[in-house]
């Protein structure tokens, strides 16, 4: 699919579009399970996203055509008008969240397609929300800041989709820049760009294509462990420690006998992860991709052995990366399935991909999927 096809389809349905916009999915290089611990994440926008054509239609109705689902949704713009199609809820939510901020969106026609794999951990939903938020802000000159647009996407997930996500995905989809990662402080929402232009390397995701059933809500239990350790540390004359992000290994040592062995391991991972992200940023500033890769492997080990959110398939993919001499590799996302993210030297790329695909298939009888990604610009008008 390309913008020419998009324009042709738009023409058939609605006439000539006013403009074309695009907004990307994302990767996160390092910084896992740090967001709810008040720490940092290091996402980058990718060269895969949602592209839409749009035109004001002078009514109070929205008509949208999804090229990928080959389906139209039509809905009004009041709270009672929530559409039936699940993909259209993201667009409806964006309209509603803009209105809640005191801005008026009028009726429009749109058509869109995407090339972010759905549900693979690359945040196709944030790409969809961001593309529409950015486009509506632009065509109706609403004067919303990029920051507001990210919050509108997040609020859409919370209020119209039922996913209680953090801000990272929408933030990077809106703010992303080519050749830059974004170090985002999840407590203050301050951010800084960090150079990422690894000449001689490729960034590639290997999708394990498994999603393990989560029993006893392991994510909630991880959060509870983090909170328990924070509470113990605060009692030790460190009242300013609000999140594990503020804690040090020395503080953790002080409370070793007061927290469970499990809680200790969880905190050991998080405190280490906050530091690894800072170390990776320092290495990126110097263009030292070997160190970045080493930090990625350390994160994987921590997620697997201390935080215990890996699984057989992801550990196997990480071992494949080591076997084929990959510079850095780790689980990307919450764990228990999904993708590994790999930083691979160009010369080792072909052997790594063909070897890993064959090894994984032989072991699990599943064909893993491979997604090459290039760090690219965030939400933008294309024409
Ligand atoms: P992800 O991790 O990719 O964000 P989600 O489950 O949060 O996974 O979002 C996927 C949903 O977003 C899809 O089920 C669909 O409703 C919507 N979506 C994403 N990309 C597209 C697309 N290209 N066309 C239509 N809907 C899409
Ligand atoms: Mg999503």
């Amino acid at each position: 699919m390309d913008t020419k096809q998009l324009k042709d389809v738009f023409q058939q349905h609605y006439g000539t579009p006013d403009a074309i916009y695009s907004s990307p999915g994302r990767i996160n290089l390092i910084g896992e399970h740090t967001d709810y611990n008040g720490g940092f994440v290091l996402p980058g926008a990718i060269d895969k996203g949602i592209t839409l054509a749009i035109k004001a239609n002078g009514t109070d109705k929205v008509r949208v055509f999804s090229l990928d689902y080959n389906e139209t949704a039509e809905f009004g713009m009041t709270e009672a008008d929530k559409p039936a199609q699940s993909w259209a809820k993201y667009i409806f939510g964006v309209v509603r969240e803009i209105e809640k901020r005191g801005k008026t969106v009028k009726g429009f026609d749109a058509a869109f397609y995407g090339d972010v794999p759905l549900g693979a951990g690359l945040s196709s939903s944030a790409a969809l929300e961001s593309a529409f938020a950015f486009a509506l802000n632009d065509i109706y000159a609403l004067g919303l800041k990029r920051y507001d647009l990210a919050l509108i996407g997040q609020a859409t997930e919370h209020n119209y989709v039922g996913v209680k996500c953090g801000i990272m995905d929408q933030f990077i989809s809106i703010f992303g820049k080519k050749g830059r990662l974004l170090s985002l402080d999840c407590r203050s929402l301050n951010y800084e760009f960090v150079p990422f232009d690894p000449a001689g390397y490729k960034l590639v995701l290997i999708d394990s294509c498994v999603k393990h059933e989560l029993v006893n809500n392991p994510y909630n239990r991880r959060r509870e462990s983090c909170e328990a350790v924070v509470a113990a540390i605060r009692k030790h004359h460190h009242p300013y420690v609000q999140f594990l992000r503020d804690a040090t290994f020395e503080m953790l040592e002080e409370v070793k006998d007061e927290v469970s062995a499990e809680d200790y391991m969880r905190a050991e991972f998080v405190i280490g992860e906050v530091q690894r992200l800072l170390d990776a940023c320092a290495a990126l500033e110097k263009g030292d991709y070997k160190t970045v890769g080493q930090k990625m492997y350390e994160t994987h080990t921590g997620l697997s052995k201390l935080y215990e959110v890996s699984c057989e398939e992801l550990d196997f993919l990480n071992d494949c990366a080591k076997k084929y001499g990959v510079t850095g590799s780790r689980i990307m996302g919450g764990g228990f399935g999904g993708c590994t993210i790999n930083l691979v030297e160009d010369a080792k790329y072909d052997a790594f991909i063909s070897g890993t695909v064959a090894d994984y298939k032989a072991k699990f009888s599943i064909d893993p999927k491979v997604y090459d990604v290039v760090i690219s610009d965030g939400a933008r008008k294309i024409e």
Side-chain angles (χ1 to χ4, degrees):
M1 213 103 57
D2 56 24
T3 49
K4 166 141 194 345
Q5 269 172 286
L6 175 66
K7 278 197 266 185
D8 288 347
V9 170
F10 192 95
Q11 192 74 47
Q12 287 159 24
H13 284 79
Y14 312 119
T16 306
D18 290 341
I20 315 274
Y21 297 89
S22 188
S23 199
R26 60 105 190 93
I27 53 93
N28 184 33
L29 193 74
I30 199 163
E32 219 60 79
H33 291 281
T34 45
D35 53 349
Y36 54 85
N37 285 297
F40 300 88
V41 288
L42 192 61
I46 57 174
D47 55 337
K48 301 179 191 343
I50 295 281
T51 303
L52 67 83
I54 191 163
K55 181 187 203 291
N57 65 16
T59 73
D60 56 1
K61 291 264 183 313
V62 175
R63 297 188 297 180
V64 196
F65 182 71
S66 157
L67 274 74
D68 298 308
Y69 289 127
N70 192 24
E71 199 173 57
T72 299
E74 290 196 28
F75 50 87
M77 291 186 286
T78 70
E79 202 61 35
D81 294 315
K82 192 167 180 180
Q85 297 92 331
S86 57
W87 58 266
K89 293 193 173 99
Y90 294 91
I91 301 159
F92 176 73
V94 166
V95 170
R96 292 301 311 145
E97 289 296 334
I98 292 176
E99 297 249 329
K100 285 184 200 170
R101 283 157 179 79
K103 306 282 182 183
T104 306
V105 176
K106 300 195 197 73
F108 60 90
D109 296 333
F112 72 101
Y113 72 94
D115 58 358
V116 186
L118 307 187
L122 300 183
S123 219
S124 64
S125 63
L128 180 54
E129 292 143 11
S130 303
F132 274 89
F134 189 88
L136 291 171
N137 186 46
D138 198 50
I139 64 165
Y140 288 121
L142 302 176
L144 292 160
K145 300 270 183 301
R146 280 183 184 255
Y147 187 81
D148 300 319
L149 300 178
L151 291 174
I152 283 166
Q154 183 195 26
T156 297
E157 299 263 356
H158 289 188
N159 301 328
Y160 295 90
V161 186
V163 174
K164 298 284 171 217
C165 60
I167 189 69
M168 170 171 83
D169 301 352
Q170 291 78 15
F171 206 93
I172 189 63
S173 186
I174 293 280
F175 282 89
K177 274 197 206 311
K178 188 171 175 226
R180 297 268 184 281
L181 300 176
L182 187 148
S183 163
L184 175 65
D185 180 332
C186 296
R187 175 159 55 192
S188 65
L189 298 189
N190 288 337
Y191 65 93
E192 251 171 55
F193 285 105
V194 182
F196 186 82
D197 198 5
Y201 292 89
K202 290 193 198 328
L203 209 47
V204 59
L205 300 160
I206 312 279
D207 190 345
S208 68
C209 298
V210 298
K211 272 201 179 94
H212 290 288
E213 220 28 71
L214 300 182
V215 279
N216 298 331
N217 208 333
Y219 292 129
N220 276 359
R221 283 174 48 216
R222 299 298 179 284
R223 277 176 183 251
E224 283 159 19
S225 290
C226 296
E227 285 162 15
V229 174
V230 167
I233 290 176
R234 283 169 70 88
K235 278 196 218 138
H236 273 256
H237 311 294
H238 303 299
Y240 51 86
V241 173
Q242 289 182 322
F243 291 101
L244 281 181
R245 175 255 177 96
D246 304 314
T248 61
F249 285 119
E250 290 71 31
M251 293 176 190
L252 181 60
E253 237 13 73
E254 286 173 21
V255 301
K256 187 159 192 172
D257 299 331
E258 292 156 43
V259 299
S260 71
E262 186 178 288
D263 291 353
Y264 181 93
M265 284 196 323
R266 308 299 189 235
E268 188 183 351
F269 166 75
V270 173
I271 295 170
E273 185 69 357
V274 172
Q275 189 58 48
R276 273 189 291 278
L277 184 143
L278 298 175
D279 293 346
C281 287
L284 285 169
E285 293 289 352
K286 288 189 261 171
D288 173 5
Y289 288 94
K290 288 265 182 300
T291 299
V292 172
Q294 191 191 325
K295 296 293 154 193
M296 292 167 74
Y297 276 117
E298 287 172 17
T299 291
H300 185 93
T301 305
L303 285 168
S304 179
K305 302 283 188 285
L306 296 175
Y307 221 60
E308 296 184 298
V309 293
S310 189
C311 58
E312 206 191 339
E313 293 85 354
L314 290 170
D315 285 343
F316 184 86
L317 288 176
N318 192 255
D319 288 340
C320 288
K322 286 181 194 149
K323 173 176 162 190
Y324 294 102
V326 168
T327 305
S329 177
R330 67 175 199 86
I331 299 166
M332 193 178 82
F336 303 114
C339 294
T340 60
I341 178 166
N342 303 274
L343 180 65
V344 193
E345 280 175 67
D346 287 344
K348 298 194 170 151
Y349 178 87
D350 289 345
F352 167 55
I353 298 301
S354 57
T356 299
V357 167
D359 293 354
Y360 191 81
K361 171 94 187 212
K363 170 91 178 162
F364 299 106
S365 307
I366 299 172
D367 286 308
K369 296 205 180 85
V370 177
Y371 310 119
D372 289 298
V373 294
V374 175
I375 301 304
S376 304
D377 284 327
R380 62 202 179 275
K381 185 172 180 176
I382 293 187
E383 51 185 85

